[in-house]
Amino acid sequence: MKLYSLLKKYSKKHVIAMHMPGHKRHKFLHNSLPYDIDITEIDGFDNLHNPNGILKERMEFASKLYKTKRTYFLVNGSTCGILASIKSVCENGDEILIAKNCHKSVFHAIELMDLKCSFIPSHFDDETKIHLQIYPEDVDLCLKNNRGIKCVLITSPTYEGVISNIEKIAEVVHKYNIPLIVDEAHGAHLYLTNNSACQKGADIVINSLHKTLPSLTQTALLHICSDRIDAEKVSKSLSIFESSSPSYVLMASIDECITFMSKFGEKYFARLQKNLDCFKEAVKNLKNLKVLGYTTSHNFYDFDMTKIVILTSQTNIDGEELMRRLRAKNIELEMSYVNYAIAITTIFDTKKDLLCLAKALNNIDKTLENVEKNIQIKNIDNKVSLTINQALKTSSEIIDINQSIGKVCAEYVYVYPPGIPILIPGQIINQETCEYIKYIAKHNLNLISTTGLLPNMIKIVSNT
Ligand SMILES: Cc1ncc(COP(=O)(O)O)c(C=O)c1O
């Protein structure tokens, strides 16, 4: 039986609930929130942190769908999966090799475990200013030069849909007898095209179900895909980073999602692909805007076509303005950046909705001018002077951003979304970064720093 069916059946039973949660599934709560199935670990409903009943069964079902060794339901997003996976393969003080465009949760794990981190060189696509894939040769060189590294973590696909050659990267990483973790938060649907890192040799893969599949926000999966990983350590780490009161509503949502995908996933995905073909036909005459992979080719190892990345680079508007204009037509995109905006499509997008987006883009396109712009997005390299933890523990001060060149940063700086740091504690702030921060602020993007004082002031390590 599915978890949701069991919860629904139980909700009809008259039981005096002398336990959490406090709303007691009360019938007088007259709204559509799912109080009736929101329970705690009562008899018959298993325990996520020590599963041996219905949850174990349903997680095994998910594991079969993704063809993994073991799959865990996560109710604190990919964020807790990333924290737990790093904790399960590294000891405090170890060194980890990561891609520069990692999510902030990776940096938080590094901070918590006082890890040293090395960066895989990143490459930018000159045309789109988007991070290219991770190159296996770069990973090999980093590992050859530093035999102390205990694990490699990369993001694939990225927020923009760029997919790396996981098969080759895994081969390289395994040559050094260490595990590869793939943050596949944006790619829970990739198994449908046999393109998931789970099938390509990664050791741990983390998927946000809520991002690209029909599941409630905060739901995710952590997959163990090889014998290099100690499941006991993963379970222990998850018990640290995940709530000790995991929501049954969220877990039922995961189970519903997995059940739905196992029955109808292929059929619905084929329909999405057809709808995207119609979208492609409908945007082919755009003159100023470009749609990555649809009206232009791409320079990536592989690209997730469910991401619609609309480039504004050769127009007189930026990504934020495009997003605003679409909002005025009742179309809300996922995110915008200086020179692009992203629409995320899933199996529940209809042909009508995609054609509506195409029509809106065609209409906006007619109002735009074709201009050559100097997009100042660069692959900035800030040298590391201290570990994140050292920088956070040392005494600090807040100074004018213009005075900060050459100083050691003592806070995180990123644009949200996507939440990828521009600066992390311990990096030496250079001129390019200062200019970049001002440039980002000018484009009204959501610039976030730990102190909240940017773009004017920044926290630095004292006496640097
Ligand atoms: C690349 C990447 N990894 C991980 C996460 C965290 O996922 P979640 O929101 O499910 O915790 C995000 C969130 O946006 C992300 O973009």
Side-chain angles (χ1 to χ4, degrees):
M1 187 183 262
K2 289 187 298 170
L3 180 59
Y4 179 71
S5 315
L6 190 62
L7 287 163
K8 266 309 210 196
K9 189 170 160 209
Y10 186 74
S11 76
K12 304 232 160 46
K13 220 166 132 179
H14 176 72
V15 183
I16 299 170
M18 304 301 283
H19 56 73
M20 296 187 285
H23 56 66
K24 304 275 174 135
R25 291 181 271 128
H26 209 291
K27 303 270 183 304
F28 293 123
L29 291 163
H30 284 303
N31 59 37
S32 54
L33 287 175
Y35 292 111
D36 62 332
I37 59 160
D38 186 28
I39 59 162
T40 186
E41 286 88 358
I42 48 183
D43 190 43
F45 286 91
D46 210 359
N47 179 340
L48 185 64
H49 292 291
N50 184 23
N52 51 34
I54 186 161
L55 293 176
K56 179 167 182 278
E57 220 175 84
R58 302 315 293 165
M59 288 194 281
E60 281 168 2
F61 184 68
S63 168
K64 275 203 194 101
L65 184 68
Y66 279 85
K67 299 192 180 82
T68 64
K69 297 259 174 209
R70 183 163 175 181
T71 290
Y72 296 81
F73 287 180
L74 306 178
V75 296
N76 294 87
S78 285
T79 298
C80 84
I82 289 168
L83 289 161
S85 58
I86 296 175
K87 172 112 182 111
S88 71
V89 297
C90 289
E91 298 294 332
N92 281 14
D94 276 352
E95 184 154 1
I96 182 171
L97 179 66
I98 64 169
K100 268 195 199 152
N101 57 345
C102 279
H103 184 250
K104 58 184 176 165
S105 54
V106 175
F107 296 94
H108 291 156
I110 291 169
E111 177 186 330
L112 282 170
M113 297 181 63
D114 200 9
L115 302 177
K116 290 191 208 81
C117 83
S118 305
F119 293 105
I120 304 165
S122 66
H123 304 276
F124 254 38
D125 181 30
D126 282 341
E127 247 175 270
T128 59
K129 313 288 181 195
I130 287 173
H131 276 280
L132 290 170
Q133 66 274 8
I134 297 294
Y135 289 92
E137 310 83 71
D138 284 336
V139 176
D140 201 13
L141 196 62
C142 291
L143 294 176
K144 201 194 272 172
N145 291 337
N146 189 344
R147 297 301 178 116
I149 288 168
K150 291 289 166 29
C151 137
V152 178
L153 191 150
I154 63 168
T155 306
S156 175
T158 61
Y159 218 125
E160 295 84 5
V162 179
I163 298 175
S164 291
N165 184 347
I166 301 298
E167 215 159 0
K168 263 267 145 33
I169 295 169
E171 220 176 276
V172 166
V173 173
H174 294 155
K175 224 171 54 180
Y176 296 87
N177 279 324
I178 56 172
L180 171 67
I181 301 173
V182 178
D183 172 357
E184 200 180 61
H186 291 278
H189 58 296
L190 290 185
Y191 80 92
L192 285 160
T193 49
N194 282 328
N195 230 355
S196 165
C198 294
Q199 287 122 36
K200 300 282 183 188
D203 298 286
I204 297 183
V205 178
I206 302 112
N207 290 144
S208 291
L209 291 179
H210 67 96
K211 291 192 198 302
T212 59
L213 292 183
S215 195
L216 292 177
T217 297
Q218 283 193 212
T219 58
L221 299 174
L222 183 154
H223 308 284
I224 297 181
C225 309
S226 82
D227 293 329
R228 279 177 207 89
I229 303 300
D230 181 344
E232 231 173 84
K233 282 191 179 166
V234 174
S235 304
K236 168 84 189 351
S237 305
L238 279 172
S239 73
I240 296 172
F241 294 112
E242 190 164 35
S243 170
S244 62
S245 311
S247 157
Y248 275 85
V249 176
L250 294 184
M251 291 191 284
S253 164
I254 296 176
D255 193 22
E256 285 301 300
C257 170
I258 298 299
T259 307
F260 180 88
M261 292 310 290
S262 74
K263 279 191 194 151
F264 307 112
E266 282 173 27
K267 183 174 141 204
Y268 273 65
F269 196 69
R271 191 185 71 171
L272 171 65
Q273 284 172 319
K274 264 196 186 151
N275 292 343
L276 288 171
D277 286 343
C278 297
F279 172 80
K280 182 173 182 173
E281 184 60 25
V283 292
K284 70 176 184 204
N285 292 325
L286 287 175
K287 299 235 157 15
N288 303 306
L289 293 169
K290 287 187 174 152
V291 186
L292 198 51
Y294 284 86
T295 68
T296 69
S297 56
H298 66 75
N299 300 323
F300 313 128
Y301 170 72
D302 202 356
F303 180 61
D304 174 12
M305 295 292 280
T306 68
K307 306 284 183 302
I308 296 183
V309 181
I310 310 147
L311 301 165
T312 58
S313 329
Q314 286 172 18
T315 72
N316 53 326
I317 61 169
D318 59 16
E320 173 66 17
E321 174 61 13
L322 175 65
M323 200 161 161
R324 202 189 58 74
R325 291 193 191 188
L326 285 169
R327 189 175 297 131
K329 295 174 189 288
N330 289 329
I331 298 171
E332 188 67 46
L333 298 191
E334 164 67 18
M335 64 92 85
S336 66
Y337 209 59
V338 176
N339 59 324
Y340 57 87
I342 302 178
I344 290 184
T345 67
T346 78
I347 56 170
F348 284 122
D349 285 302
T350 61
K351 180 171 162 188
K352 189 169 161 227
D353 288 346
L354 285 165
L355 291 181
C356 200
L357 172 63
K359 188 174 169 198
L361 290 176
N362 278 303
N363 286 338
I364 292 170
D365 191 61
K366 286 186 195 125
T367 69
L368 302 179
E369 287 164 35
N370 195 303
V371 292
E372 275 309 315
K373 281 192 296 200
N374 181 15
I375 307 281
Q376 290 165 36
I377 300 176
K378 294 184 192 121
N379 192 9
I380 299 170
D381 231 349
N382 291 289
K383 290 209 164 49
V384 175
S385 150
L386 300 171
T387 68
I388 293 178
N389 229 4
Q390 281 166 341
L392 291 175
K393 281 186 177 152
T394 314
S395 68
S396 59
E397 59 193 280
I398 288 166
I399 62 168
D400 191 304
I401 181 88
N402 296 309
Q403 313 292 312
S404 70
I405 295 156
K407 311 276 184 195
V408 177
C409 184
E411 63 176 332
Y412 292 95
V413 179
Y414 54 91
V415 180
Y416 194 87
I420 294 163
I422 297 168
L423 269 172
I424 58 171
Q427 283 185 325
I428 301 172
I429 305 165
N430 61 26
Q431 173 103 32
E432 268 186 323
T433 312
C434 275
E435 280 163 16
Y436 187 51
I437 287 170
K438 289 183 206 163
Y439 182 70
I440 291 288
K442 213 171 73 187
H443 282 272
N444 291 325
L445 296 172
N446 193 15
L447 182 68
I448 295 179
S449 60
T450 316
T451 56
L453 297 173
L454 275 175
N456 300 322
M457 309 291 280
I458 191 162
K459 192 174 183 184
I460 56 132
V461 172
S462 299
N463 306 318
T464 55

